[in-house]
Amino acid sequence: MTDIRPLGEHACLLGESPLWHPLEACFYCVDIPGREILRWHACQSEPDRWAQDAEPSCVAAHADGGLLVTRRDGLFRFIDGALTRLAPPPYDPTRQRFNDGKVGPDGRLWVGSLSDAREPEAVLYVWTGQRFEARVGGLHVSNGLAWSPDGRRQYWSDTKLHRIYTADFDPATGASGVPRVFAEFPPKMAGHPYGGRPDGAAVDADGAYWSALFEGGALVRLSPTGEVLQRVALPVTCATMPTFGGDDLRTLYITTAREKRPADELAREPWAGRVLTFRVDVPGLPANLVRA
């Protein structure tokens, strides 16, 4: 059995964007509807918390220190709790918000949006350092960003479609190839057990893709060819995203959600909304730093 433990007592409504900051050696995440950025230092049971006046969706480590933060109302630089707005959102914020984001091997922030109505109008963008460029359109909920250890494959998912995509990637230029389906999961069907849908993700040093299955109560580890190598049952129904951290990158951190979940489910799952951790055999990859 995997020894899964919560990281302190704090519970998010919808925890997302777990990040082990490679320069600060501490753990960050966001609570999207709770409108907070959170940080845990080593041996810290309760996080430092910074309230936001719009929903934050992702945090990324900057090579010059601090973070980039995406919120519904745009992109911000975050240093010691102070925010500086860098750009407005590239979409209508009354219909969409930013969602999953991560820094690629090209040193640029890639971040997707989601449609509040879950219509196919969301986009996967890249921040060039001056503007957002649209790279993949027609998504409902952009999620699951990750790259292979050599940086030559990019992954992302459309959570509503239960589908993970991959494409060839040039780590020097950030150019990506034609998307192809990497893995698919069965949708909800009356009378059948539901295994969940792919949310956030991370890749380990062997090139395996770890996907959080929202409403599936599990993480699944997929080979570079999309085969299921391992399924880790979790003590909560709604995992949202894993990341690797700790000095040896062998601690897996998983954000989870409790927002809008049934009362009987929450009664059975006291750790819902908390960050969960457990040790793994294969280390992860260090987070890329924003250099653009």
Side-chain angles (χ1 to χ4, degrees):
M1 294 290 290
T2 301
D3 185 14
I4 299 172
R5 300 181 181 184
L7 183 64
E9 300 291 327
H10 181 80
C12 295
L13 293 173
L14 174 56
E16 270 286 6
S17 191
L19 168 70
W20 181 262
H21 199 301
L23 301 181
E24 299 179 14
C26 60
F27 175 79
Y28 284 89
C29 70
V30 302
D31 184 346
I32 296 178
R35 297 188 176 188
E36 287 189 323
I37 299 170
L38 304 101
R39 179 183 65 192
W40 281 261
H41 286 289
C43 302
Q44 187 176 353
S45 60
E46 290 303 306
D48 301 317
R49 299 162 64 181
W50 291 276
Q52 304 293 298
D53 53 14
E55 302 105 300
S57 77
C58 87
V59 291
H62 201 287
D64 294 331
L67 305 170
L68 288 189
V69 178
T70 58
R71 308 192 324 184
R72 181 183 287 268
D73 57 348
L75 176 69
F76 295 79
R77 186 73 186 276
F78 178 91
I79 300 176
D80 297 329
L83 285 170
T84 303
R85 195 172 194 239
L86 301 180
Y91 51 73
D92 179 355
T94 68
R95 297 178 56 85
Q96 293 188 51
R97 66 164 172 81
F98 279 125
N99 196 44
D100 180 81
K102 196 169 286 185
V103 183
D106 56 337
R108 297 186 292 179
L109 176 66
W110 291 71
V111 59
S113 63
L114 64 74
S115 159
D116 290 326
R118 304 304 190 262
E119 296 295 329
E121 58 188 15
V123 175
L124 176 58
Y125 300 95
V126 62
W127 171 248
T128 67
Q130 298 177 324
R131 64 186 183 279
F132 285 104
E133 291 184 355
R135 289 299 181 89
V136 180
L139 302 170
H140 303 77
V141 180
S142 180
N143 244 323
L145 273 168
W147 282 263
S148 61
D150 64 3
R152 297 194 173 277
R153 289 184 68 180
Q154 182 183 34
Y155 300 91
W156 68 94
S157 63
D158 189 331
T159 299
K160 182 178 179 180
L161 295 185
H162 294 67
R163 188 175 295 157
I164 303 170
Y165 298 91
T166 188
D168 295 335
F169 190 83
D170 186 333
T173 66
S176 52
V178 177
R180 54 193 183 272
V181 175
F182 172 66
E184 289 188 274
F185 298 84
K188 287 184 178 179
M189 297 179 62
H192 295 270
Y194 181 53
R197 51 196 180 274
D199 203 312
V203 168
D204 65 28
D206 283 350
Y209 180 93
W210 291 78
S211 177
L213 296 182
F214 193 85
E215 288 194 324
L219 296 176
V220 64
R221 183 175 184 252
L222 304 175
S223 75
T225 57
E227 300 169 316
V228 176
L229 299 174
Q230 184 180 3
R231 185 183 179 95
V232 178
L234 299 174
V236 299
T237 298
C238 295
T240 58
M241 187 174 176
T243 198
F244 295 90
D247 293 341
D248 59 1
L249 295 176
R250 288 184 53 229
T251 298
L252 199 63
Y253 294 85
I254 309 106
T255 47
T256 71
R258 62 184 291 111
E259 183 191 32
K260 299 178 182 177
R261 302 307 302 169
D264 60 337
E265 177 183 295
L266 294 177
R268 295 191 306 270
E269 301 177 3
W271 291 355
R274 298 195 203 179
V275 176
L276 306 180
T277 70
F278 65 90
R279 298 284 289 168
V280 293
D281 295 329
V282 179
L285 304 173
N288 293 313
L289 299 172
V290 177
R291 300 185 184 278

